[in-house]
Amino acid sequence: MLLITLIDSNDNIIISNDSSRKSLQKSPLFSGSRLKTDLDNVYLHVPGASNNISIMKIWKNSSYFSSRPIAKTNWSLHVEYPLAPMQAALYTSAINGLIAVAILFIPMLFIAFALSRTLTKPLQILARISADLPNQIESDKKIIWPQTNIEEVAKLVENFQNASHALGSKIGILNNRLSLATDSAGIGVWDYYVKENTLIWDKWMYTLYGISEDQFNGAYDAWQNGLHPDDLERCDHAIQLALNNEKDFDTDFRVVWPSGEVRYIKAVSYTHL
């Protein structure tokens, strides 16, 4: 909106289309600063700075203006273009721009999250598999490998598969050799899982203790029941020393078969806590 004001030679307002400007008041154009622009006879009026008024407020009250004398009078005609509408339009444009960016950013954020899950999920599955890979291979557990269309990740999965196959083949060969050695020497192999209080025996252990597999429930006390009473306390103490990492379990003891026959056994173990 253009503001048109008629001013006399004393810079007093005669009439204006701005209702806030009263006749005989001093024109506000003559307070503050006048900055010349590149256009002929066009100036920028900037109100003087005051306390508690921000720079944005000052610019809001600024305006471009041009003044022309009226022939054969002492009056002049001032035409102003306030910056407030322009400032408001710029604010509105900036806010609308920010809203548009936010509207675009939120879906992009969800897309980025989905892509991140797609990229990292195969790696997370691979990490879980590799954390216990040797035990899974040794127990012949079926491994479900992650599927992905990402070439680099697919290559990584393939490398893990090849490594697991090679490791499985090596473990198989070692187990076969161990079985051959134990079968030839009549050596039994056992594992004791302390937390579960469970003993795992191979076939030769049942032979050494003179029992069948269905006569042994795998509990620690079931093993104790097969020991000679005179060796029970000493063997139990040796087991506790090994579990406390104080001394390796390396001892011999007697076992009593269900038939009453007494056999001597040499036992050695490696403790892993």
Side-chain angles (χ1 to χ4, degrees):
M1 175 183 177
L2 292 178
L3 300 180
I4 301 173
T5 305
L6 190 61
I7 299 176
D8 64 15
S9 58
N10 294 320
D11 299 329
N12 293 322
I13 297 172
I14 297 175
I15 191 171
S16 175
N17 66 343
D18 184 357
S19 59
S20 66
R21 297 180 181 181
K22 305 300 181 183
S23 297
L24 301 181
Q25 286 182 343
K26 282 288 185 180
S27 171
L29 295 175
F30 297 97
S31 63
S33 303
R34 285 188 182 189
L35 304 176
K36 186 171 177 56
T37 67
D38 293 335
L39 300 176
D40 185 36
N41 197 32
V42 175
Y43 299 87
L44 175 62
H45 171 252
V46 181
S50 303
N51 292 333
N52 302 321
I53 298 180
S54 67
I55 188 65
M56 300 307 295
K57 178 86 176 209
I58 292 173
W59 278 106
K60 183 179 180 180
N61 294 327
S62 300
S63 61
Y64 288 104
F65 76 94
S66 179
S67 181
R68 290 286 188 276
I70 298 176
K72 299 181 181 182
T73 69
N74 292 327
W75 298 348
S76 59
L77 187 66
H78 290 251
V79 178
E80 301 170 59
Y81 181 77
L83 293 183
M86 184 187 303
Q87 189 184 54
L90 288 173
Y91 282 172
T92 302
S93 177
I95 292 171
N96 289 339
L98 290 173
I99 292 173
V101 169
I103 292 174
L104 290 174
F105 178 75
I106 292 174
M108 289 176 65
L109 189 63
F110 281 105
I111 293 172
F113 177 75
L115 287 174
S116 174
R117 289 292 301 272
T118 301
L119 289 171
T120 60
K121 187 175 181 180
L123 297 177
Q124 292 173 349
I125 296 174
L126 195 59
R128 288 197 296 268
I129 292 173
S130 61
D132 193 36
L133 186 58
N135 288 334
Q136 294 182 70
I137 295 173
E138 187 175 8
S139 61
D140 200 25
K141 182 179 179 182
K142 183 180 180 181
I143 300 174
I144 302 177
W145 297 98
Q147 302 294 320
T148 178
N149 295 322
I150 304 169
E151 183 178 352
E152 292 80 0
V153 180
K155 189 64 178 178
L156 181 62
V157 173
E158 182 183 352
N159 290 338
F160 267 89
Q161 287 178 304
N162 293 337
S164 69
H165 292 154
L167 182 59
S169 177
K170 194 70 175 177
I171 290 175
I173 293 173
L174 291 175
N175 284 338
N176 288 337
R177 289 178 177 176
L178 179 62
S179 295
L180 181 61
T182 55
D183 287 347
S184 300
I187 298 173
V189 179
W190 57 275
D191 293 287
Y192 176 38
Y193 296 92
V194 181
K195 290 183 179 180
E196 294 81 6
N197 190 35
T198 302
L199 279 164
I200 305 297
W201 284 3
D202 73 347
K203 63 180 182 179
W204 271 104
M205 289 295 293
Y206 297 106
T207 301
L208 293 173
Y209 280 78
I211 60 176
S212 61
E213 187 171 349
D214 58 1
Q215 292 177 293
F216 182 69
N217 62 12
Y220 180 76
D221 55 357
W223 168 73
Q224 290 179 313
N225 291 336
L227 297 181
H228 192 285
D230 294 340
D231 296 338
L232 177 59
E233 183 177 350
R234 177 174 56 82
C235 288
D236 190 58
H237 180 65
I239 288 287
Q240 295 306 315
L241 290 177
L243 293 177
N244 294 332
N245 208 23
E246 297 179 22
K247 185 179 179 181
D248 291 337
F249 182 71
D250 185 355
T251 187
D252 50 56
F253 51 85
R254 290 166 291 178
V255 296
V256 181
W257 284 14
S259 63
E261 185 178 350
V262 177
R263 295 293 184 97
Y264 285 83
I265 290 181
K266 172 69 172 178
V268 179
S269 74
Y270 167 74
T271 305
H272 177 71
L273 300 175

